[in-house]
Amino acid sequence: MKKILIASLGTALLLSATSCNKNFLDETPQSVLTPAFLQTPQGVEAGVTGVYSGLRQIYGNDSGFFTTEAGTDLFTTGISASSGLSDYDNTALTPLNDGSHSFIWSVCYQQINNANGVLKYGPAATGIAPARLTQLLAEAKLLRAQYYFILVQDFGDVPLMLDFVDSPTKDITRAPMASVYTQIVKDLTEAMATIADKPAQPGRVTRATALHLLSKVYLTRATAIPAGATADYTLAAQYAKELIDTQSRYGVALEADPATVFTEGNENGKEVLMNAQFSGDATFNRIDGFTFGGENVAGFNFRSRYDKLPNMARDIANGRPFARHVPTYFLENSFILTDASGNALETGAALRTTDTRYSKWFTTVYRVNSPGANAGSGSSVVGDTAAWYPGRQLSAARLAQIAARKPAPYVVIQPNQYTTEYFPTLNKFDSRNRTSVNGFSTRPNIVYRLAETYLVAAEAYFYLNDKDKARDYINVVRRRAAAIGKTAQMEITSAQVTLNFILDERARELCGEFTRWYDLKRTGQLLVRVRNTAYSPALVTRAAGTGFTAGGNYGSNAAINIKDFHVLRPIPQTEIDRTSGKITQNAGY
């Protein structure tokens, strides 16, 4: 899809909100939306393209991961934190200092305003084919719903702005969460009635996107507003089931192998329902690695400091090691096959081998690319093992064997040696087609995919007390992940279907994919799991390991710091100030 950066002509609220990257709003806009322009074919097309452009900010920028994966049971503090989100640091996670959520607020409302302009003036456009205009308006409605869904999950009550704002105003207040959800459902339902089944271009949203998003919205609203929970769970199940049952209509299907889902070049594959488009075109994507704004740092966020290991140097293939997010022991161990009582059915070298997602989605071995680097051995050979994360404690005899290895030993980093710098790396977003060692990723990032639809259906049916159907949907996902000959071992029974199991399965399937904080909040488990150090380890110092100098810490103070009010994010103080207090703050901040 061609990408055009559109500048909103919205309020001071929308135009001035602070970005976590200071130069984001310094970009020169490629075009400007005005009522007259939006009534032309070019204006409608450009307006909708502008609404899409915000997805690159939400699903590529650091803030996208800090606001969805940090501060959960799956990832803990790396070497760089932001706004206290990793450990709920109350000196940083404040209305004034939380730059990540200020950024999310700003981007969402800019693109909502662009969508409002398209929806208000686009219907009057002349010279454009009616079918094309209908499609563009449907896309604008779906995307507006998506941005509002982000906002309502983060902030609760938020301003509900449905008219195009082209002059400054302070007359803005928060609408009840119920009203926002009603509008989201209305937009999605109307979009679903006219939107195309299949994308005309990669990255375009479709009726399949609408079905998935609508099911997820109903699932989320059911727990946010319990008064209508049963009806909402029923609708969540209905729409998820419709997409699953008619997936061939939309040209979507599960990939046969989990590894294929995130294979580079397959970001628009058959399992993908929605993504944020990036490319190597420097006109519309930040790719140089140093100029922030529209950049894709997905792969870097989860990459450990392999470049400091013996016989290793930073290179394009291994990525840029931001080391922002470290997988918790809970996430790593969730891939160990267990029985219905939670007892491990795998030991030793067999750990995490029945469920192949761990071996396919986490990098545990690094290969020598710079013999002798970082006090390494000049005898090491390019392509040989440089470092190994075995995921278990090795015996003294095995460690001695590795230390005596010829032509050179390699570093072994065991679980008790994980630090903020050294840990198994989530590789779903790795980008080997970058233009330079530090250059940003050019890969589109997947936002929604069909495997999640199965898990949404399972969760909805669980709440409707139909554990058999929930089991069946979960088993589809688990069978796909099974090692050859181990399908039966991966299947679960109806008795195993619990809320905890559903959350654990979502962790295994969707870790790192912009969803975990919302999952925990939706299910009422955010406070429970973050406070439980069995899920989120407390801050501890690790000792040096054999052949490896361990520095830093592993874990965070999230369990100590998190408060009940952290189930909502702080409203940016700048927005409260600009409206003279008409926009109010969430309790606790």
Side-chain angles (χ1 to χ4, degrees), residues 260-582:
T260 308
V261 178
F262 293 96
T263 298
E264 291 186 59
N266 194 44
E267 298 84 2
N268 299 301
K270 63 183 180 181
E271 188 166 324
V272 177
L273 302 175
M274 179 178 173
N275 59 23
Q277 291 287 298
F278 293 87
S279 74
D281 186 343
T283 306
F284 307 113
N285 298 267
R286 300 298 188 189
I287 62 176
D288 63 9
F290 298 100
T291 307
F292 285 79
E295 74 280 2
N296 183 358
V297 297
F300 307 160
N301 267 261
F302 301 95
R303 179 61 57 182
S304 61
R305 294 305 306 269
Y306 72 90
D307 58 333
K308 295 173 67 175
L309 295 170
N311 305 311
M312 293 296 298
R314 184 179 302 191
D315 62 11
I316 289 177
N318 284 297
R320 189 175 175 184
F322 278 14
R324 299 277 199 263
H325 309 292
V326 184
T328 60
Y329 292 125
F330 161 70
L331 175 56
E332 186 175 29
N333 290 338
S334 71
F335 293 95
I336 298 173
L337 188 69
T338 63
D339 62 19
S341 300
N343 300 310
L345 298 174
E346 302 170 321
T347 60
L351 286 175
R352 307 177 193 86
T353 58
T354 306
D355 188 331
T356 66
R357 288 173 291 193
Y358 181 76
S359 63
K360 292 173 179 177
W361 291 345
F362 285 83
T363 297
T364 58
V365 175
Y366 285 93
R367 303 290 178 180
V368 173
N369 66 6
S370 183
N374 298 322
S377 171
S379 300
S380 63
V381 178
V382 172
D384 196 5
T385 302
W388 178 36
Y389 293 87
R392 64 185 189 279
Q393 299 302 120
L394 301 184
S395 68
R398 178 69 173 124
L399 291 172
Q401 182 186 44
I402 294 170
R405 183 176 180 271
K406 302 296 182 183
Y410 54 82
V411 171
V412 176
I413 307 173
Q414 302 172 95
N416 69 343
Q417 297 168 315
Y418 294 171
T419 72
T420 57
E421 295 183 293
Y422 302 102
F423 47 85
T425 294
L426 182 73
N427 60 32
K428 289 179 175 180
F429 305 102
D430 284 5
S431 177
R432 296 170 181 82
N433 294 322
R434 293 174 292 114
T435 57
S436 65
V437 170
N438 290 323
F440 296 127
S441 174
T442 60
R443 298 181 62 185
N445 287 335
I446 298 171
V447 177
Y448 297 131
R449 55 188 179 92
L450 188 62
E452 189 190 18
T453 313
Y454 282 88
L455 298 179
V456 167
E459 189 175 334
Y461 279 116
F462 166 76
Y463 284 121
L464 292 170
N465 296 314
D466 192 338
K467 289 190 174 185
D468 289 347
K469 284 185 179 177
R471 172 206 63 203
D472 291 344
Y473 285 118
I474 291 171
N475 278 337
V476 171
V477 176
R478 289 182 61 81
R479 282 193 294 267
R480 195 261 296 267
I484 295 174
K486 298 294 184 69
T487 300
Q489 289 91 323
M490 282 289 286
E491 292 182 346
I492 64 167
T493 66
S494 298
Q496 290 175 268
V497 178
T498 64
L499 180 59
N500 275 331
F501 189 93
I502 289 169
L503 279 172
D504 293 353
E505 192 61 33
R506 288 186 66 88
R508 287 182 282 266
E509 183 67 26
L510 301 169
C511 54
E513 296 181 49
F514 310 100
T515 188
R516 191 58 175 184
W517 192 87
Y518 298 133
D519 291 345
L520 295 181
K521 176 186 173 178
R522 179 185 68 249
T523 56
Q525 296 300 300
L526 178 65
L527 300 173
V528 174
R529 289 206 171 197
V530 172
R531 283 172 173 159
N532 184 344
T533 55
Y535 294 102
S536 305
L539 190 63
V540 291
T541 301
R542 297 298 177 190
T546 303
F548 171 68
T549 300
N553 301 302
Y554 178 61
S556 78
N557 284 322
I560 298 171
N561 291 337
I562 194 168
K563 303 293 189 298
D564 290 357
F565 63 81
H566 283 138
V567 295
L568 289 176
R569 306 303 202 173
I571 304 293
Q573 188 62 43
T574 50
E575 311 310 329
I576 295 172
D577 295 342
R578 287 175 185 135
T579 59
S580 300
K582 288 185 178 180

